[in-house]
């Protein structure tokens, strides 16, 4: 959402209120055209928490004796967005018993009472679209056993929100917010009596956004894998709704789905979760599998870059590398300085990760999560490969875009006899230190090991002069650097071989060993794992190879491989952590 401090945002918010209150005076929609079919997926455990009165939204926990979602303070815009988007209905429906239904019915009726006349933070196009999809998806769940008057209020509010969307969807920010608004309008137009006139304009606009916002390779400007999954899911829902109504979805929407599907397959790890880059998490459990199964597209990803990422699958292991420049301009408000960072998953167990997005834990964690030290790559002390611009540089308020980003990022795949070599480089430290970071990753075909090399070097006389100035600022003590390997919280790490190696034990019983060439200092340090749905960050560890650059070229070699006695196939049936609660 736009920042309320700017005059443009204030005008937009004012017009939203005018449109909402005008729509609230209408008396549209009295019933569903056809019985809606639930498509959204919720968490059973989170639904039980909601019923018990433990209300966790955007990392903020409220314990309510009555267990009402409207008891949660809405001072934090992220909390307000989660509540008014009504995705919690998915979790209550996942429980599905009488208590869950009573909670859902009471909370929806309470929303109509409190906010149905056009007040509150929920009257934005994206949240209205998100809310409409949930109310319609779970319509039968919400209507069962309620009084006629409550049923009439429910349908009247659905129609009013649809009218609001028809007038205000154009103000939604391009990308996921507008996809949510338009899909909600399509859903409502197809599902509600008297709302069919809103379908054609929404379908036309959605088709246009598919052409403008989804590139030829199936990527989006933010380069956020989880956001791409959300867009993909919305497009699937729109196509399914149109097909059930015997309407032909436009070719541009179907083509967008066909482009996105292989890209999402390329961005998932061996455990089924998405790579965690540029503000995205691993995705809701089951969301990716369901979307891929329903889309009807069976194309596998080709070799090479997908939305700027490079994925190598070998044996039971998967490696995903950020191998392109970060997002630019307004698309980078959640972007990270993660160039050349990688993640490694073995079977169902993440091993090397990035810290993730700290958005739900407040502005300090959000900034920390975006910095290079929060990623598994090389960084210089006090500097990230991309910097955060001042608040308001592009879109106002506290939204900070990335500036001074690498503009030259090279990526090449070289076949080897026993694997593949990834040759990567970026110039994100060139302006500040005259240094280019080059990274080589040799991935074995059996997935049992990676041999890595990180090099920071000057390339031109200008670069050498910049490096000399940076060296002078350290009183000739050298430019400090660190190569970080952030570990998943379930990985147990211990220093071995007198400090020459680190053993990494996975819950599956696998043992991996990280070694280095002795040119840097190896240490274990504290880290965090940032994921949505938790009250606070999870404690984790990181392996750090640190040193100082004294010359025009500094090289560090390292390897990460399974211990020799670790079998190729490990029986691993333990459930993966759900990410709910602490």
């Amino acid at each position: 959402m736009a920042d309320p401090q700017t005059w443009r945002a204030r005008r937009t918010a004012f017009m939203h209120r005018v449109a909402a209150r005008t729509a609230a005076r209408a008396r549209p929609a009295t019933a569903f055209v056809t019985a809606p079919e639930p498509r959204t997926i919720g968490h059973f455990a989170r639904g039980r928490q909601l019923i018990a009165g433990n209300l966790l939204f955007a990392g903020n926990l409220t314990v309510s004796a009555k267990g009402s979602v409207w008891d949660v303070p809405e001072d934090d815009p992220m909390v307000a967005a989660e509540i008014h988007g009504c995705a919690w209905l998915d979790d209550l429906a996942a429980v599905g018993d009488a208590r869950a239904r009573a909670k859902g019915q009471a909370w929806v009726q309470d929303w109509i009472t409190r906010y149905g006349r056009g007040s509150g933070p929920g009257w934005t196009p994206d949240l209205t679209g998100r809310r409409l999809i949930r109310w319609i998806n779970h319509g039968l769940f919400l209507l069962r056993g309620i009084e006629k008057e409550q049923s009439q209020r429910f349908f009247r509010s659905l129609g009013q929100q649809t009218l609001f969307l028809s007038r205000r969807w154009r103000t939604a920010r391009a990308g996921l917010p507008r996809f949510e608004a338009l899909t909600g309008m399509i859903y409502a137009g197809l599902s509600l009596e008297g709302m069919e006139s809103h379908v054609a304009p929404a379908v036309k606009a959605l088709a246009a956004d598919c052409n403008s916002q989804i590139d030829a390779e199936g990527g989006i400007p933010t380069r956020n894998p989880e956001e791409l999954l959300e867009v993909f899911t919305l497009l699937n829902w729109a196509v399914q709704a149109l097909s059930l109504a015997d309407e032909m979805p436009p070719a541009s929407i179907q083509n967008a789905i066909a482009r996105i599907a292989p890209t999402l397959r390329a961005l998932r790890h061996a455990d089924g979760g998405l790579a965690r880059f540029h503000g995205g998490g691993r995705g809701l459990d089951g969301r990716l599998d369901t979307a891929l199964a329903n889309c009807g597209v069976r194309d596998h990803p080709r070799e090479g870059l997908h939305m700027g990422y490079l994925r190598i699958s070998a044996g039971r292991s998967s490696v995903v590398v950020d191998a392109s420049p970060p997002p630019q301009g307004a698309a980078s408000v959640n972007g990270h300085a993660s160039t050349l960072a990688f993640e490694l998953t073995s079977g169902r167990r993440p091993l090397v990760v990035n810290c993730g997005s700290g958005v739900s834990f407040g502005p300090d964690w959000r900034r920390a999560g975006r910095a290079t030290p929060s990623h598994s790559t090389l960084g210089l002390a006090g500097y990230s490969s991309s910097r955060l611009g001042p608040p308001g540089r592009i879109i106002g308020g506290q939204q900070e875009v990335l500036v001074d980003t690498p503009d030259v990022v090279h990526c090449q795949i070289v076949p080897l006899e026993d694997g593949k070599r990834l040759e990567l480089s970026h110039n994100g430290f060139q302006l500040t230190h005259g240094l280019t970071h080059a990274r080589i990753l040799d991935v074995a075909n059996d997935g049992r090991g990676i041999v890595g090399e990180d090099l920071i070097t000057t390339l031109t006389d200008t670069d050498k002069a910049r490096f000399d100035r940076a060296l002078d600022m350290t009183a000739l003590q050298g430019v400090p650097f660190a190569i970080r390997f952030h570990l998943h919280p379930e990985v147990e790490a211990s220093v071995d071989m007198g400090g020459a190696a680190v053993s990494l034990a996975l819950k599956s019983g696998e043992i991996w060993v990280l070694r280095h060439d002795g040119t840097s200092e190896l240490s274990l340090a504290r880290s965090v794992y940032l994921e949505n749905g938790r009250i606070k960050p999870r404690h984790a560890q990181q392996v750090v190879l640190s040193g100082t650059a004294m010359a025009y070229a500094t090289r560090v070699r390292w390897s990460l491989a399974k211990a020799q006695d670790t079998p190729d196939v490990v029986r691993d049936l333990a459930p993966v952590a759900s990410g709910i609660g602490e």
Side-chain angles (χ1 to χ4, degrees), residues 334-408:
N334 290 313
H336 289 201
S338 58
T339 311
L340 303 198
F342 79 98
E343 291 192 320
L344 167 64
T345 296
S346 179
R348 299 181 67 245
R349 301 293 169 179
L351 176 58
V352 177
V353 297
N354 298 308
C355 290
S357 172
V359 168
S360 64
F361 303 108
D364 291 340
W365 278 115
R366 180 176 183 269
R367 287 178 62 91
R370 300 178 72 184
T372 295
S374 295
H375 301 83
S376 294
T377 186
L378 177 144
L380 303 184
Y383 290 86
S384 289
S385 56
S386 298
R387 265 69 69 187
L388 296 181
R393 179 176 177 128
I394 287 186
I395 61 174
Q398 299 304 310
Q399 302 282 15
E400 299 163 313
V401 301
L402 295 179
V403 297
D404 299 334
T405 59
D407 58 356
V408 179

Side-chain angles (χ1 to χ4, degrees), residues 169-239:
W169 68 263
R170 292 174 182 82
T171 65
R173 180 169 56 86
L176 180 58
R178 190 177 296 169
F179 281 114
E180 286 185 311
L182 292 171
T183 303
M185 202 158 86
I186 291 171
Y187 246 65
L190 293 171
S191 302
L192 300 172
E193 286 187 352
M195 296 287 105
E196 59 276 357
S197 63
H198 302 298
V199 175
V203 170
K204 181 179 179 181
L206 187 66
D209 273 22
C210 284
N211 291 331
S212 63
Q213 296 299 311
I214 301 168
D215 64 27
E217 302 299 323
I220 54 178
T222 62
R223 296 193 57 225
N224 180 332
E226 188 175 19
E227 186 174 311
L228 181 66
L229 170 59
E230 293 303 312
V231 170
F232 183 66
T233 301
L234 290 167
L235 295 180
N236 272 333
W237 290 343
V239 166

Side-chain angles (χ1 to χ4, degrees), residues 425-482:
S425 68
H426 78 79
N427 67 340
F429 302 117
Q430 193 173 37
L431 286 175
T432 57
H433 295 79
L435 293 172
T436 293
H437 174 208
R439 165 166 272 187
I440 294 176
L441 301 176
D442 291 345
V443 183
N445 280 333
D446 59 9
R448 293 181 63 89
I450 298 175
V451 176
E453 177 182 300
D454 283 286
L455 170 70
I456 44 177
T457 184
T458 58
L459 299 179
T460 66
D461 289 340
T462 301
D463 289 345
K464 291 178 181 178
R466 286 175 177 159
F467 179 77
D468 289 339
R469 288 195 294 271
L471 197 59
D472 289 340
M473 294 182 67
T474 69
L476 303 182
Q477 296 301 303
V479 176
F481 68 86

Side-chain angles (χ1 to χ4, degrees), residues 543-562:
V543 182
V544 184
L545 299 177
S546 56
T548 55
M550 299 289 295
Y552 293 140
T554 302
R555 188 187 313 268
V556 178
R557 295 185 176 93
W558 50 269
S559 65
L560 183 57
K562 288 183 184 181

